[in-house]
Amino acid sequence: MDYQEDTAYPGLDGFARWDLTEAAATPQRTPDLWVPVFVRLTGSGKGPTLAEVIDQMLVPGARHILADHEREALLTERQRLTGSPDIRAVIWCRPDEVAAGPWTVLYVGPPVTLKPTAAPAGSSGPVARRGPALATTPLLALVDDGIGYLNARFRSAAGRTRFKAVWLQAPARLAGQAAAPNGQEVYLGRVLTRQEIDSQLVSGATEAHLYRAQNAALFQPWMHQSTNRAVGHGSHVLDLAAGAAFGDPADTSLLGVPLLGVSLMPEVVGETSGRWLEPYLALGLRWVIWQALRAVAEPGNGNAGVPLIVNLSLGSLAGPKDGTGFIEEWIAHELARFRRLSDDTPIRIVAAYGNARRARLVANATLQPGPALVLDWCIQPDDATASFLELRLPKGAGGRVSLRVAAPADPDAVVFPAFPAPGTAQVLMRGGRRIAAVYGRAEAQFDTVLIAVAPTLRDDRASAGPDPRGAAPAGAWKISLGLSGTGGLAVSVKVLRDDTPGGFRRRGRQSWLDHSSGWQWDAEVAGWTAPGPDCPVTRAGTEVNYAGLGDPSLYFVAAAEPDPARMGGTRPTRYSSEGEDRLRTGVDTAPTIAAIGDQGRIRTGRRGTGVLTGTVALMSGTSVAAPLVARKLVELALNAGPLSSRGPGMPHDPAELAALLGLVVPPGWLPVFDRRLGAGVVPDRS
């Protein structure tokens, strides 16, 4: 085995370089690889102005392409340019043309195969300004997987859907499929309007038949098709947020609340590391926010804004979690864009806090000169997906730290005398095939290294012969960190998720961290599973990767369960994540609030709908706790009047938190946040 410098795709982030190299080595991939590029438009006094840059972006036939809602957004931004706004766009271009434009590249997503026409389909133009928000009927949006948009629990009446629109993301438009109607071009999958969903509802065909037909038009036969299955994560989550109360057929309290949905590409959800989920989550959130901004301008709304509540029950562990990571920074931008273009209409994003507390994915330690810190990164056999690990040091400290990476049973481990510099890449070869890579990454507050290890199982069925890409050895990969000089130095290690979600064909198998200092007795589970006092592996820092983003419009929801030792009491679930220690990071990442994500440890889960009308499923986790808080916010907006408009730098509204918790508190009350349950547990509904 030996390491070689990797010069492919210079200037791109480590995740993008890994994915593009994998895609280029796959025999069945075509040359038509395109990538989504998240950019900030740049203008200057010496060159083109920002207005001129926007005009350049809108020219048909350019080497980049724009979805129709992106064109509408830029037209609206062009019309309202004042001061120096932060104008961004998501473009599609070929990998070698990422930097060829008047923009600053913020992130590059995974490649897909596209054959777009030269000219865009067009759009409906800019949206009008409608004045401050007065409406109390909110718009509820969901970005998730497997949304059963035909289910009767998401209808306002027979044959009438509550959905304003649903974006069904898919890898690409299949050959022979017609182009999207004017204003609906998204390049990945298709958008169904309210009228199209209503037409399906009154067609006389069964829901199952309609889903199969729709999926056949969007996916190749071997691809995972979530709405062809009995249980869909998004269907269950949306039912908890917007469906009628179980056992109460007369409950019509939320029938007037319109819905928006983004059903993410199944392969994005199935690849749990987050490197694919982050960009497509950002794409979905951007589309949802734009649809909400369009709703503000719909006839009949007068000067009333439409408060927007978005449920995000998906996330990953990767990133710095200090507000500077891509998904954190992009969510902050989208919140600011919605407030700016809607004249400060209220918005709330409700997110699941994470379920990784016991997964052994995080290690924090203080390096000292002398013996190196050695961690075992345990990668499982029969893992058909890549495994990733992130190492972080304080900014500028990389020159003091040596890094040693050793594959299992490899006597010739490679030592990096200093942390690899940003933009550098080294690949580990065995038998002429790439089995791992080490990438230096640029982050605002950290010296960061990404280590990628190839799957330990390659699926030869995907090609005519053996897969030309290498399979990595399973076992304990040794990650050693040595420190020179004087004084200690904090280091953070995070293993990205690599499990397989329920209902998906098993591909990923979760790797984890181990350390020689061992484990101690955990009375909660009666086993030797708790990190010892000297063990760097920790349960802190296992929260969702954008939890470091402090904004009063964001609610991070932990999972609680009934406490059998106390009548009516609750306690955190075993799996609900713990936030990072604020003394280490300077960022308090405790959850905002908690809800019942499990009914108990004997009968786990919460009841919600399956994909088809009349079916029932049980799911547990912070992902089913979050929609209970989203539902409470919807009810507050309906019954107590408009939600407050709160921007960055402000705390969460104490009155709003008290209302969510069912508390009657005196003026001036401020919540006390618990590390596991936030401000408290939302009262449960049946």
Side-chain angles (χ1 to χ4, degrees):
M1 300 185 187
D2 65 296
Y3 273 92
Q4 303 173 5
E5 184 176 357
D6 184 8
T7 58
Y9 307 107
L12 297 188
D13 178 75
F15 285 128
R17 295 178 77 164
W18 177 268
D19 285 328
L20 284 166
T21 304
E22 287 277 292
T26 308
Q28 71 270 25
R29 296 302 289 263
T30 71
D32 299 311
L33 289 179
W34 292 67
V35 289
V37 186
F38 296 76
V39 300
R40 177 187 292 114
L41 306 189
T42 53
S44 67
K46 298 181 179 178
T49 64
L50 190 54
E52 291 169 336
V53 167
I54 294 175
D55 291 339
Q56 292 177 33
M57 297 286 291
L58 294 170
V59 173
R63 289 187 294 181
H64 68 271
I65 55 177
L66 292 167
D68 283 351
H69 62 277
E70 290 290 341
R71 294 180 59 80
E72 289 181 8
L74 285 179
L75 284 167
T76 303
E77 296 277 20
R78 175 71 171 83
Q79 188 180 73
R80 303 186 189 180
L81 274 181
T82 57
S84 302
D86 181 4
I87 308 297
R88 303 187 185 186
V90 182
I91 64 173
W92 290 89
C93 64
R94 297 186 183 278
D96 57 350
E97 295 177 350
V98 166
W103 52 66
T104 299
V105 175
L106 303 175
Y107 196 85
V108 179
V112 296
T113 303
L114 292 182
K115 293 183 179 180
T117 55
S123 63
S124 57
V127 301
R129 184 183 294 274
R130 285 282 175 165
L134 302 175
T136 59
T137 300
L139 182 58
L140 178 61
L142 177 79
V143 182
D144 215 295
D145 167 62
I147 301 175
Y149 57 90
L150 299 172
N151 196 300
R153 295 182 68 79
F154 312 135
R155 303 176 199 168
S156 58
R160 295 185 60 185
T161 185
R162 292 164 59 191
F163 280 100
K164 296 177 70 65
V166 177
W167 179 9
L168 305 176
Q169 289 187 356
R173 187 176 297 112
L174 299 183
Q177 185 179 337
N182 184 48
Q184 297 180 35
E185 179 59 88
V186 289
Y187 293 112
L188 295 182
R190 64 171 299 189
V191 172
L192 293 177
T193 63
R194 182 195 301 273
Q195 292 74 22
E196 290 172 307
I197 297 174
D198 285 348
S199 295
Q200 292 187 24
L201 290 175
V202 299
S203 66
T206 66
E207 292 175 32
H209 172 80
L210 291 167
Y211 289 136
R212 286 195 299 268
Q214 184 67 75
N215 289 331
L218 293 175
F219 302 100
Q220 300 290 354
W222 62 83
M223 294 178 177
H224 183 95
Q225 299 167 25
S226 296
T227 49
N228 281 3
R229 297 175 176 268
V231 179
H233 189 269
S235 299
H236 194 280
V237 168
L238 185 58
D239 190 28
L240 293 173
F246 275 105
D248 183 5
D251 178 20
T252 60
S253 59
L254 300 188
L255 287 186
V257 176
L259 307 174
L260 283 170
V262 177
S263 197
L264 295 170
M265 286 194 297
E267 62 182 313
V268 166
V269 177
E271 208 300 313
T272 55
S273 71
R275 73 187 198 276
W276 295 354
L277 178 63
E278 282 192 16
Y280 285 97
L281 194 67
L283 284 171
L285 178 62
R286 189 167 175 84
W287 181 84
V288 157
I289 283 181
W290 186 249
Q291 299 308 311
L293 286 168
R294 292 183 66 186
V296 172
E298 286 181 353
N301 279 346
N303 288 328
V306 181
L308 175 63
I309 297 170
V310 185
N311 191 96
L312 300 180
S313 282
L314 296 170
S316 65
L317 191 67
K321 301 184 185 180
D322 60 357
T324 65
F326 161 69
I327 190 64
E328 297 173 287
E329 209 267 342
W330 194 270
I331 289 174
H333 167 76
E334 292 300 329
L335 286 169
R337 181 173 76 128
F338 182 81
R339 293 175 180 128
R340 174 167 52 86
L341 295 181
S342 70
D343 295 317
D344 227 16
T345 294
I347 180 174
R348 299 290 185 271
I349 295 179
V350 184
Y353 195 59
N355 305 322
R357 176 174 175 263
R358 301 176 56 83
R360 300 187 183 183
L361 303 183
V362 177
N364 290 323
T366 299
L367 298 179
Q368 298 290 349
L373 169 68
V374 181
L375 290 167
D376 286 346
W377 181 18
C378 303
I379 298 179
Q380 299 197 59
D382 300 326
D383 184 353
T385 60
S387 299
F388 298 92
L389 179 147
E390 295 177 335
L391 299 166
R392 284 185 175 81
L393 301 170
K395 193 73 172 179
R400 295 182 58 197
V401 176
S402 61
L403 169 64
R404 181 178 183 269
V405 181
D410 177 16
D412 300 319
V414 175
V415 176
F416 298 89
F419 247 38
T424 59
Q426 300 283 330
V427 293
L428 175 60
M429 308 296 291
R430 185 176 69 171
R433 296 182 176 184
R434 182 185 66 155
I435 65 168
V438 178
Y439 301 102
R441 304 180 68 189
E443 290 186 348
Q445 300 188 54
F446 298 97
D447 286 353
T448 306
V449 165
L450 171 70
I451 303 176
V453 174
T456 57
L457 174 69
R458 291 291 193 179
D459 189 355
D460 293 344
R461 294 173 297 177
S463 58
D467 196 316
R469 301 165 298 176
W477 287 63
K478 299 284 186 180
I479 310 297
S480 304
L481 296 162
L483 180 66
S484 61
T486 59
L489 190 66
V491 60
S492 170
V493 183
K494 289 186 175 69
V495 173
L496 276 60
R497 281 185 60 191
D498 188 28
D499 53 346
T500 299
F504 283 71
R505 180 172 67 89
R506 196 187 77 176
R507 298 187 70 245
R509 303 191 69 196
Q510 184 63 59
S511 61
W512 72 91
L513 295 171
D514 203 352
H515 187 261
S516 59
S517 63
W519 305 88
Q520 66 182 14
W521 184 255
D522 188 342
E524 186 177 34
V525 297
W528 298 93
T529 60
D534 299 322
C535 185
V537 182
T538 177
R539 291 171 174 173
T542 52
E543 75 280 20
V544 70
N545 60 338
Y546 47 94
L549 180 58
D551 191 292
S553 293
L554 272 165
Y555 279 81
F556 294 100
V557 184
E561 64 184 8
D563 185 350
R566 295 184 296 135
M567 180 67 70
T570 57
R571 62 187 181 188
T573 62
R574 295 171 177 171
Y575 52 76
S576 188
S577 293
E578 290 186 30
E580 193 78 72
D581 185 344
R582 72 179 72 185
L583 297 178
R584 287 185 55 84
T585 65
V587 177
D588 181 8
T589 56
T592 314
I593 204 166
I596 300 296
D598 249 316
Q599 294 288 9
R601 295 183 182 176
I602 303 297
R603 182 181 175 273
T604 61
R606 298 215 52 137
R607 182 171 56 168
T609 189
V611 171
L612 301 178
T613 297
T615 60
V616 177
L618 289 173
M619 287 188 178
S620 60
T622 59
S623 62
V624 301
L628 302 177
V629 175
R631 184 185 188 92
K632 284 285 188 180
L633 286 168
V634 171
E635 292 171 348
L636 281 181
L638 287 172
N639 301 323
L643 301 174
S644 62
S645 296
R646 303 178 75 83
M650 301 174 67
H652 285 87
D653 184 349
E656 190 170 289
L657 281 172
L660 290 172
L661 296 171
L663 301 176
V664 177
V665 296
W669 172 81
L670 294 175
V672 177
F673 288 90
D674 180 85
R675 286 287 303 279
R676 298 290 308 283
L677 296 175
V681 181
V682 173
D684 198 27
R685 72 182 183 101
S686 59

